[in-house]
Amino acid sequence: MASVAFLGLGVMGYPMAAHLKNKGGHDVTVYNRSAAKAQKWVGEHGGSHAPTPREAAKDKDFVFSCVGNDDDLRSVTIGPDGAFQSMKKGAIYIDNTTASAEVARELGEKATEYGISFLDAPVSGGQAGAENGALTVMVGGEQDVFDKAKPVIDAYAKMVGLMGATGAGQLTKMINQICIAGLVQGLAEGIHFGKKAGLDIEKVVEVISKGAAGSWQMENRHKTMNAGKYDFGFAVDWMRKDLGICLTEADRNGASLPVTALVDQFYKDVQGMGGKRWDTSSLLARLEK
């Protein structure tokens, strides 16, 4: 059993922290910007909560975070009440936020100054993956630090991989989002085309999902897309945040992402339709408007 802090109890962090407590058997202290949610979590799972990241992280072996963006991450780590201010020497900070590779490298350097270690460890699998403890975790950092942290991360993951040096986890997550964006748009266009052609979408997908066109998105989203229901996963607002990170990094490294840039604008159209909190499969709604 390890002594653990978890910072950020959103739709992902709330169940992830619970798996660390219940499946991992760790002693968990939680922090959330809204204290009421932290109190609710403790009421459901035990453990304890703290009023600041600094207090939550004090004397912990591992500190996890899953927050909104780069600025939120800086706040809970190197801010005046941030976790880095109180973490003991040799402790490991594991960040599950989808953020920029730039902030990961920045915090990796800061962590060294504080005598602690840092892993950028964004996740994929959505809310269902978090709730089922079946996330894919893409990690950047040092091998020895990864080896110490992996048995703890395993509590909420089905796959944990070290992708390279600090920042490599975030870069891998960017590739994940780039691939998803193109897949969802292709699936949306396929369903749209099938409806216009008068085909039975269920019959079509039953056949083509067993061939080269098959994908997780097709298997898990085609039914809700066909029914015009878009409340089953990762929100459009979050996807646009992630694609913005991808496009900024592409500007930096010279990669050409024409399809990603186009789909990002399609998601902007969905936001304009009132679909900010619809899931990413709502690209079909844009085609059918």
Side-chain angles (χ1 to χ4, degrees):
M1 182 181 77
S3 180
V4 172
F6 202 103
L7 317 177
L9 299 175
V11 294
M12 300 292 287
Y14 199 99
M16 290 164 70
H19 286 301
L20 288 166
K21 177 69 170 63
N22 302 324
K23 182 180 175 183
H26 303 297
D27 177 20
V28 180
T29 299
V30 296
Y31 161 80
N32 193 66
R33 191 159 46 189
S34 166
K37 185 173 280 190
Q39 292 166 357
K40 179 186 176 192
W41 188 94
V42 170
E44 293 177 356
H45 303 289
S48 59
H49 64 89
T52 66
R54 182 174 188 156
E55 293 179 61
K58 187 176 181 181
D59 297 326
K60 299 297 189 294
D61 302 313
F62 300 91
V63 179
F64 291 80
S65 59
C66 190
V67 294
N69 54 41
D70 286 17
D71 289 340
D72 293 333
L73 182 54
R74 289 188 180 96
S75 176
V76 300
T77 52
I78 58 177
D81 286 319
F84 283 17
Q85 310 298 339
S86 65
M87 289 176 67
K88 65 183 181 182
K89 302 295 183 184
I92 299 175
Y93 192 102
I94 301 143
D95 178 48
N96 298 126
T97 309
T98 296
S100 68
E102 183 178 18
V103 75
R105 298 185 190 106
E106 173 190 333
L107 294 178
E109 293 176 2
K110 287 287 186 182
T112 300
E113 295 174 13
Y114 281 90
I116 59 178
S117 298
F118 179 88
L119 297 174
D120 58 296
V123 300
S124 179
Q127 184 175 349
E131 291 173 350
N132 294 325
L135 292 169
T136 296
V137 189
M138 300 149 268
V139 185
E142 298 297 323
Q143 182 73 55
D144 61 332
V145 179
F146 173 80
D147 291 341
K148 293 175 185 176
K150 184 181 181 298
V152 185
I153 298 171
D154 279 340
Y156 57 76
K158 68 175 180 180
M159 172 64 190
V160 186
L162 180 63
M163 312 313 299
T166 304
Q170 295 296 352
L171 292 169
T172 303
K173 178 61 184 287
M174 293 176 208
I175 296 171
N176 186 78
Q177 302 306 77
I178 290 166
C179 293
I180 288 173
L183 282 171
V184 176
Q185 178 63 22
L187 179 57
E189 291 185 13
I191 292 173
H192 176 64
F193 178 90
K195 286 183 172 183
K196 289 291 187 181
L199 297 176
D200 183 323
I201 298 300
E202 286 300 317
K203 288 183 178 179
V204 170
V205 172
E206 183 181 2
V207 172
I208 69 171
S209 64
K210 304 305 185 290
S215 68
W216 185 97
Q217 296 292 337
M218 183 176 288
E219 289 282 357
N220 290 275
R221 291 288 177 263
H222 80 274
K223 288 182 182 292
T224 53
M225 291 173 75
N226 192 35
K229 297 178 180 178
Y230 306 114
D231 189 27
F232 297 89
F234 196 65
V236 168
D237 277 354
W238 301 340
M239 187 58 151
R240 285 216 72 209
K241 182 209 82 171
D242 290 1
L243 294 182
I245 292 171
C246 297
L247 294 168
T248 297
E249 184 66 31
D251 285 341
R252 184 179 294 113
N253 68 21
S256 177
L257 304 178
V259 173
T260 303
L262 185 61
V263 176
D264 177 58
Q265 292 304 300
F266 292 163
Y267 278 124
K268 183 179 180 181
D269 293 343
V270 174
Q271 287 177 319
M273 295 167 57
K276 294 181 178 182
R277 308 301 294 180
W278 295 348
D279 71 58
T280 52
S281 69
S282 58
L283 286 172
L284 178 59
R286 177 186 171 276
L287 298 172
E288 294 182 334
K289 66 179 181 179

